[in-house]
Amino acid sequence: MNKPASLSAHAHSAKVIVCRDATAASRTVANMIVAAVNAKPSIVLGLATGGTPTATYANIVEDFRAGKVQFKDVTSFNLDEYIGLSGTHPQSFRYFMQSELFDHIDIDPNNTFVPEGGASDPASHAIQYEAQIAAAGGIDLQLLGIGHNGHIAFNEPGSLPSTRTRVVELTPSTIEKNARFFASVDEVPKTAITMGIGTILEAKQILLLATGKGKAEAVRRSLQEAASEEVPASWLEQHPDVTFVLDEDAASELSL
C-alpha cells in the first residue's frame, strides 16, 4: 500500500512515504501520531490546521472512540493563528481545532495551546508562546502541512531558519488561497502569529503531510532543491528526523 521512497538529490535526510491516495496518506499519519502517543502518553504534540489534516484528525478521533489511544496526559501547541480573530470565530484556528479534534477526545483543554488571535499585544504574546513551548520541554512530534508556495505554518518565502514565534504578514497568494474559507477575500486577516522555522526545527520529530497535484511542485522544491528562503519547507532538510507522507499526486514531480 505505502511504499517508502529514497531520495538521492542533495543527500536529503528526509524519509518519504508515498501512499496511493489522500485517504491512505491521512490514515498513515494518524497511525504514526497514535503510535507516538501510546509510546509516550505525556507527549507534546505540535499540530497544524487547514484542509490537509482534517482526515487525519477524523482518523485519530475514530481511534480514540475505539479505545486505541488516550490523550488525557498530552499537551499540544498549534503552529499559528490569524491576528484579529477570537477563538470563537468560525475561521479561527482555535475553533478549527476544537471542532475537528479537541472536542472529540479526552485531552485536557488547559493543555491545548493555540496562539491567541485576540491578544492585545500580539508581538509580546508570540514571545510568551515561545516560552510556553520551552517550558513544556519542547515539541516531541510536529505535524506540518505545506503551502503551494512552500510555506510551513505561516512562514512565508523569505523566512530564515533562525526565525522564532512572531507576528508575520501574509502574502497575497496565501490570502487568496485562504479566501475560500471566508465570505470574501477582504475578510481574510492580513497578519498572523506563527511558530518560526527555528521553533519548528527544534521538534524532536517532524511529519509533513501533503496531498494533491497542487502541492507537487512545493514538495519537489523542498526535497530536491538546495535549502533556501524561497521555499521555507526546504529548511526541513536540516532536521535529523523528518518524514514526508505524500499521496501519489503530491509525489508526482519527485524523481525517486
Side-chain angles (χ1 to χ4, degrees), residues 57 92 206 215 236:
Y57 293 148
S92 74
I206 296 173
K215 300 295 176 72
L236 295 174

Side-chain angles (χ1 to χ4, degrees), residues 205-238:
Q205 182 184 2
I206 296 173
L207 286 180
L208 187 147
L209 172 63
T211 58
K213 277 269 198 286
K215 300 295 176 72
E217 183 188 359
V219 166
R220 174 184 58 75
R221 295 189 70 194
S222 300
L223 286 169
Q224 296 188 320
E225 291 183 7
S228 83
E229 60 194 75
E230 285 176 37
V231 184
S234 67
W235 297 120
L236 295 174
E237 69 180 51
Q238 299 181 0

Side-chain angles (χ1 to χ4, degrees), residues 164-176:
R164 313 305 302 185
T165 304
R166 68 203 188 286
V167 172
V168 292
E169 289 188 15
L170 305 183
T171 62
S173 74
T174 294
I175 290 168
E176 197 180 310

Side-chain angles (χ1 to χ4, degrees), residues 54-107:
T54 50
T56 290
Y57 293 148
N59 283 319
I60 289 171
V61 170
E62 194 179 291
D63 288 352
F64 168 72
R65 288 178 175 157
K68 295 177 182 174
V69 63
Q70 292 186 325
F71 294 88
K72 56 184 174 44
D73 298 320
V74 170
T75 300
S76 70
F77 287 91
N78 263 78
L79 287 165
D80 44 20
E81 179 62 282
Y82 290 118
I83 290 175
L85 299 191
S86 75
T88 56
H89 189 289
Q91 298 309 331
S92 74
F93 294 156
R94 163 58 79 177
Y95 188 95
F96 173 98
M97 291 308 303
Q98 292 300 140
S99 59
E100 299 294 330
L101 184 63
F102 298 153
D103 287 349
H104 311 291
I105 59 175
D106 61 342
I107 196 165

Side-chain angles (χ1 to χ4, degrees), residues 8-252:
S8 53
H10 289 293
H12 199 297
S13 63
K15 296 185 280 291
V16 179
I17 298 171
V18 182
C19 305
R20 66 178 182 274
D21 56 22
T23 302
S26 299
R27 173 35 85 185
T28 297
V29 171
N31 290 350
M32 293 169 88
I33 292 171
V34 166
V37 174
N38 284 330
K40 184 182 181 181
S42 62
I43 195 170
V44 179
L45 295 175
L47 299 175
T49 55
T52 304
T54 50
T56 290
Y57 293 148
N59 283 319
I60 289 171
V61 170
E62 194 179 291
D63 288 352
F64 168 72
R65 288 178 175 157
K68 295 177 182 174
V69 63
Q70 292 186 325
F71 294 88
K72 56 184 174 44
D73 298 320
V74 170
T75 300
S76 70
F77 287 91
N78 263 78
L79 287 165
D80 44 20
E81 179 62 282
Y82 290 118
I83 290 175
L85 299 191
S86 75
T88 56
H89 189 289
Q91 298 309 331
S92 74
F93 294 156
R94 163 58 79 177
Y95 188 95
F96 173 98
M97 291 308 303
Q98 292 300 140
S99 59
E100 299 294 330
L101 184 63
F102 298 153
D103 287 349
H104 311 291
I105 59 175
D106 61 342
I107 196 165
D108 181 342
N110 296 318
N111 291 338
T112 64
F113 296 88
V114 181
E116 287 175 29
S120 56
D121 183 346
S124 62
H125 176 63
I127 293 167
Q128 178 194 352
Y129 195 76
E130 183 85 21
Q132 287 174 317
I133 294 170
I139 290 167
D140 293 305
L141 175 62
Q142 177 66 61
L143 175 63
L144 297 174
I146 186 171
H148 291 76
N149 63 1
H151 74 237
I152 46 175
F154 274 136
N155 295 286
E156 298 280 17
S159 298
L160 294 168
S162 55
T163 48
R164 313 305 302 185
T165 304
R166 68 203 188 286
V167 172
V168 292
E169 289 188 15
L170 305 183
T171 62
S173 74
T174 294
I175 290 168
E176 197 180 310
K177 285 273 186 281
N178 290 351
R180 69 186 189 277
F181 301 116
F182 292 82
S184 78
V185 72
D186 299 330
E187 286 185 26
V188 185
K190 308 297 186 281
T191 54
I193 295 172
T194 185
M195 277 190 209
I197 293 174
T199 316
I200 291 167
L201 288 174
E202 284 175 7
K204 296 176 186 71
Q205 182 184 2
I206 296 173
L207 286 180
L208 187 147
L209 172 63
T211 58
K213 277 269 198 286
K215 300 295 176 72
E217 183 188 359
V219 166
R220 174 184 58 75
R221 295 189 70 194
S222 300
L223 286 169
Q224 296 188 320
E225 291 183 7
S228 83
E229 60 194 75
E230 285 176 37
V231 184
S234 67
W235 297 120
L236 295 174
E237 69 180 51
Q238 299 181 0
H239 195 278
D241 188 358
V242 58
T243 304
F244 278 60
V245 181
L246 313 171
D247 66 358
E248 289 181 357
D249 282 343
S252 59

